[in-house]
Amino acid sequence: MEVLNYPETTFEKLPVTIFEESGEGAISIAQEIAALIRSKQQKGKRAVLGLATGSSPIGVYKELIRLHREEGLSFQDVVTFNLDEYYPMPPDELQSYVYFMHEQLFNHVDIRPENVHIPDGTLPIEQVRAYCQAYERQIEECGGLDLQLLGIGRTGHIGFNEPGSSINSPTRLVKLDPLTITDAAKDFIKEEYVPLRALTMGVGTIMKARQIILMAWGEGKAKILQETVEGRISEEVPASFLQQHPNVKVVVDQWAALELTRIKTPWLVGMCAWDNSLIRRAVIWLSLKTQKPILKLTDEDYKDGSLSDLLVEAGNAYNLNIKVFNTIQHTITGWPGGKPNSNDAQRPERAEPAHKRVLIFSPHPDDDVISMGGTLLRLVDQSHDVHVAYQTSGNIAVFDDDARRFADFALDFAQKLHVGATKMQREHAEVVEFLKHKKLGEEDSPLVQDIKALIRKGEAAAACRFCGVKEENVHFMNMPFYETGQVKKKPLGEEDIQETVDILQEIRPHQIFAAGDLRDPHGTHRVCLDAIFAALARLKGQEAWVDDCYLWLYRGAWQEWDVEEIEMAVPISPEELMRKRKAIFKHQSQKDSAVFPGNDKREFWQRSEDRNHATAKLYDRLGLAEYEAMEAFVRYRF
Ligand code: F6R
């Protein structure tokens, strides 16, 4: 569903269409491309498309393939020019854009190979300049780009035009921004393997396209999207040059739109339909902006903050302040499983039953302790029957040398005990041989995958032991969608959902905790959450316990809920924080440096502590009690 269209606000300098989900946005873009191809075909002409790679266009290509297969869309008369390619880069490497484009689109449609153009990452450096000029010429000889499809990098790059690129820049060799290199690391296993340079169409080349569609999905793009759409035109954000193009469309999902003024602070744009949640957001915003605790905000502050309309609705600042302060106050509880024998009318959790069956779903083997270790410890300390279900094996996130170390250990141990030592020797030799010849990004052999999964399993079990979770309450699901041995996963399948149904049925929890990364359109966490939603949807109406079950969402290692969303905030004392840290340390394979650290240099325990301190600080700034740290949850009503 298209939720909002380009409003007449003075803030947005580009036309933005917001879709609820990225998939819907991708389909609308694909349909627009298809319409262009067909209209050109009707005129006996070829459509010349500028194409992008990366995660953003995958959904668009998927829909184009569907249109080709099911609705006869032909690519016979389509000519394509890709934006960029890493340099140097052989075309058959898994990370090359040549590989990507064939895998994601060209192999599945009837495009003619001679109509496909992707910058050549294999050229000797002295030929690059002439090659880039020829690339530009080829585009012109084909009549110029009818439509250029663009993603946006967190640096504000389009193509690989990093900050500093000029509006007239041509196709050329460029160096990648450190942030872009960090973002690319997920495809190259390690940051040091990411090429430092790339060939890219210039901003000038892109600007010559007759039509441009820029797409952005997920919260990670929200900030740069706001700067691109609302900021001033500057070389610091090359995408902002698009403001000077006469025919651009920006297509985003609701999460990438989060920082746009009309979404983030709609009261600055016009009249609002005030409900409790928007009121809470506005008051918290005002408190943080004025650096005054909520209870000290005055009528003047509301008027100066463009919130006089809210005063009209609520009467005066005093009423508003008290109302919002109390709502936030009631989110704080040291009893995440409910406080026995207490009036729970204003508490996030119910008092009864005093001892609850709790099921914590952890997408990877360490998400439980990283994201809610303090709460987990409290739940165990407060005598709830705590179960942890590890949804995936997390095996791809183990370094090869750790796998080798454990293989050596297993062999030594077998030899020492004289148990199956000969077989073990054979398997060990196989592992050693595989790892010796393993190519960058190559899928692990099944044996190596098993070792890596066992390493992570042992770590999770150790962390549970440390937290006091009973051994029989630790469940390893190894959901099949994850087990591809690669970063790319299978879609969620029936087996995954059934396994989730089974574990829910077995435990019949009063409380579920799950990683609620709703805003991430890709990624394992979102798939794991979808499995839980699907399983609960099946059980609802059939099983009485489901009606009595609360589902609490925590955020993954990467970010926290916005303070206005939090429905349960669990304080953590300095001692508890130290225990939580030790539980995270049990995940030794992720310590010091992780295979997939994301775009954050801090270790997981540091991110987790910084985040828990920050939440506590925020509550303090709003004028609530000052705690050392806090973990935060949102309740999902299914
Ligand atoms: C890709 C390209 C880049 C990406 C951008 C976003 O050909 O030129 O500008 O569009 O880095 O990447 P994703 O889509 O992976 O977030």
Side-chain angles (χ1 to χ4, degrees), residues 2-181:
E2 199 174 303
V3 282
L4 268 176
N5 234 308
Y6 185 45
E8 294 300 315
T9 80
T10 47
F11 292 94
E12 291 171 26
K13 297 163 188 154
L14 284 167
V16 182
T17 307
I18 306 173
F19 285 86
E20 216 163 280
E21 293 299 331
S22 58
E24 299 165 6
I27 288 175
S28 93
I29 295 174
Q31 281 169 351
E32 186 147 357
I33 295 174
L36 172 79
I37 295 174
R38 286 191 172 120
S39 94
K40 283 272 181 175
Q41 276 163 351
Q42 273 164 12
K43 293 179 200 142
K45 290 190 175 154
R46 306 191 299 181
V48 185
L49 304 178
L51 298 180
T53 56
S55 59
S56 305
I58 291 177
V60 177
Y61 297 152
K62 203 169 137 204
E63 174 66 6
L64 284 175
I65 294 169
R66 193 197 65 76
L67 288 168
H68 168 69
R69 287 191 179 147
E70 295 174 18
E71 297 182 23
L73 177 69
S74 170
F75 287 75
Q76 287 280 330
D77 305 314
V78 174
V79 181
T80 64
F81 286 89
N82 260 81
L83 277 167
D84 41 21
E85 175 62 286
Y86 292 108
Y87 183 85
M89 178 57 72
D92 52 352
E93 290 286 320
L94 293 176
Q95 293 80 12
S96 88
Y97 284 168
V98 174
Y99 182 88
F100 175 98
M101 285 309 300
H102 285 85
E103 179 89 339
Q104 299 294 338
L105 181 65
F106 299 146
N107 288 349
H108 314 284
V109 294
D110 59 344
I111 193 156
R112 295 173 205 263
E114 65 273 23
N115 285 349
V116 167
H117 306 85
I118 303 174
D120 182 355
T122 67
L123 291 172
I125 190 82
E126 58 280 6
Q127 292 177 22
V128 162
R129 210 181 137 85
Y131 175 83
C132 289
Q133 288 167 350
Y135 201 74
E136 296 260 344
R137 263 199 316 277
Q138 273 181 305
I139 298 176
E140 277 160 31
E141 281 161 15
C142 289
L145 299 168
D146 290 310
L147 186 150
Q148 175 64 55
L149 187 61
L150 294 176
I152 181 169
R154 289 190 311 136
T155 57
H157 71 212
I158 45 176
F160 276 134
N161 295 284
E162 300 287 16
S165 303
S166 84
I167 189 166
N168 295 318
S169 50
T171 301
R172 68 207 186 286
L173 181 68
V174 291
K175 57 177 199 281
L176 298 177
D177 188 278
L179 182 60
T180 301
I181 292 177

